[in-house]
Every structure is written in structure tokens, then in C-alpha cells.
Amino acid sequence: MKVLVTSIKHVAPSLYFGLSMEKSLVGFPFRSSIALSLGDVVEIKDPNDTMPVLLDKDKESNFVKELNALLESSISSKINSVSKTSDKEIDGIAAKMDAKLKKAAALFLKKLYYSTPVIVRFHNDVDGASGCFAIYRAIRDSFSSNIFWQMQRGIAYSGADAQNDILLANSFESLEKPLLLILAFGTSQESNEGLSQIGGLFDIIW
């Protein structure tokens, strides 16, 4: 199978993460006996094969084009297949936010497919925890690599929170920026310091 190297974990145990379109679009971790770089395309027998073969540049380019087309199609299909509820009022509210929700969902899914570090910080109240659980239920059967769940006891995203998230993300090298997903907190002025520290380093869904 052909695999695009999308993310590299540098701390022990070091791992490569790849995206393949073998049978279906899927990202997975694998090890390599040779040093690989982000964006390399390799051929392996299966995810347990530690002897990848680098593709030449022409084959690499063609594969990446095909992969990106399939990725866009898969993401579009997923975000447009969300079913409505039986509550007209809730559906009406959601419809007003449709464009922003789909944009956020597309960004989230791309990070997941690329095995980019995703940090989900959720407030430890009913809406924060339920939102986190809903996201977990939605992705648990398809995605598991490099997703970090963090309960937030306060309502502010502090400078210390930002430093912890930066430290975690620095353990990886990825084609995409890491993603910070903030659920049900972080709108107070006390969050400005933390958010300013990660500005430019992370994509944020908030």
C-alpha cells in the first residue's frame, strides 16, 4: 500500500503516522527502519511492515493528488450527511450556524485524517462534558491517533494551559498545524493571555 507520511512523533516511542487510500481512506501509525520526512510517500506491505520503500517524485506527486481529491470528497460527504433532529427549534438554530459548523467540522476532520495532534479541552460542567462525549462517540470508531482529552476546571484558558498544550504539540511534527478544540469555556478576558500565546501555532475551534 502507498502511504503519505503526515505526522511524526519524536518522543519515545517514536512513530510515523501515515494516510493511505488502500480499500478506504485511513490514517494509522507505523514504524520504519529508515528515517522518513513529512510529505514522503512510501510503499509498505501493511502497517506492521518496518521496511518502507520511498516512491520516486513522479509517482509521489500523482499519489498525493489522488489522495487529496479523495480526502476532500470524504470530508464533504461526512459534513453533508448530518441528520436533522425532530426538534424544529433546534434545527432552526443549527441552520443559522450551518456554514460555520461545516467549516469547523471540515477542519476537524482533516486534522483527524492527518493524525495531527488534536487537543480537546472541555469545561467540567454539563454542556462541556456532554459536548466532549458527543465528539468522542462520533469519532471513536474511525479515529484514535494523537487525540488528547483534557478536562478544564476553570472558565479561562490560562497561560499555563497554553504552555502545556504547546509542550505536548512540540512532541510532534505534522503537515498540518495542531488543533485546539475549546468546549464551553474560554470567553472571559482571563483567556486572552493563553490564546495570544498559541496564536499562529495552533488552529483553534472555539
Side-chain angles (χ1 to χ4, degrees):
M1 69 171 72
K2 296 182 182 71
V3 180
L4 171 67
V5 178
T6 57
S7 192
I8 304 171
K9 180 187 175 189
H10 291 295
V11 297
S14 59
L15 282 172
Y16 294 97
F17 295 86
L19 184 62
S20 174
M21 50 187 186
E22 187 79 10
K23 296 182 180 178
S24 62
L25 191 65
V26 62
F28 56 87
F30 68 98
R31 299 185 186 277
S32 173
S33 59
I34 62 173
L36 301 175
S37 301
L38 286 177
D40 282 348
V41 176
V42 298
E43 186 126 28
I44 58 176
K45 295 175 183 175
D46 57 58
N48 296 315
D49 182 5
T50 61
M51 300 289 290
V53 177
L54 283 164
L55 267 64
D56 63 48
K57 291 301 179 183
D58 288 339
K59 291 182 179 178
E60 178 180 298
S61 178
N62 290 336
F63 174 76
V64 171
K65 288 179 182 177
E66 292 177 21
L67 189 66
N68 285 335
L70 183 59
L71 180 64
E72 289 182 14
S73 175
S74 178
I75 289 175
S76 177
S77 174
K78 287 182 182 297
I79 65 176
N80 288 310
S81 64
V82 178
S83 59
K84 293 185 178 181
T85 71
S86 57
D87 189 312
K88 291 184 179 181
E89 184 177 357
I90 292 176
D91 288 340
I93 294 171
K96 294 177 182 178
M97 303 169 59
D98 187 66
K100 290 183 178 180
L101 289 172
K102 286 183 177 179
K103 184 178 179 180
L107 178 63
F108 184 46
L109 284 167
K110 187 174 185 180
K111 304 296 185 182
L112 294 175
Y113 274 120
Y114 271 60
S115 299
T116 304
V118 173
I119 300 171
V120 182
R121 282 187 173 267
F122 61 98
H123 194 206
N124 65 334
D125 60 1
V126 173
D127 53 339
S130 59
C132 179
F133 184 63
I135 291 172
Y136 169 76
R137 286 283 302 271
I139 68 174
R140 65 178 177 177
D141 293 331
S142 301
F143 304 101
S144 59
S145 297
N146 305 337
I147 306 168
F148 305 92
W149 309 89
Q150 179 66 51
M151 184 173 70
Q152 192 81 10
R153 298 187 182 280
I155 61 170
Y157 182 76
S158 68
D161 294 329
Q163 288 303 310
N164 287 333
D165 291 344
I166 291 169
L167 185 64
L168 191 158
N170 282 346
S171 300
F172 295 84
E173 187 181 358
S174 303
L175 289 177
E176 289 280 317
K177 285 182 183 179
L179 175 67
L180 174 63
L181 179 55
I182 296 177
L183 297 176
F185 77 99
T187 56
S188 64
Q189 289 186 348
E190 289 81 4
S191 298
N192 291 346
E193 178 188 356
L195 292 171
S196 66
Q197 287 185 32
I198 64 167
L201 301 176
F202 283 72
D203 284 325
I204 305 174
I205 296 176
W206 181 25

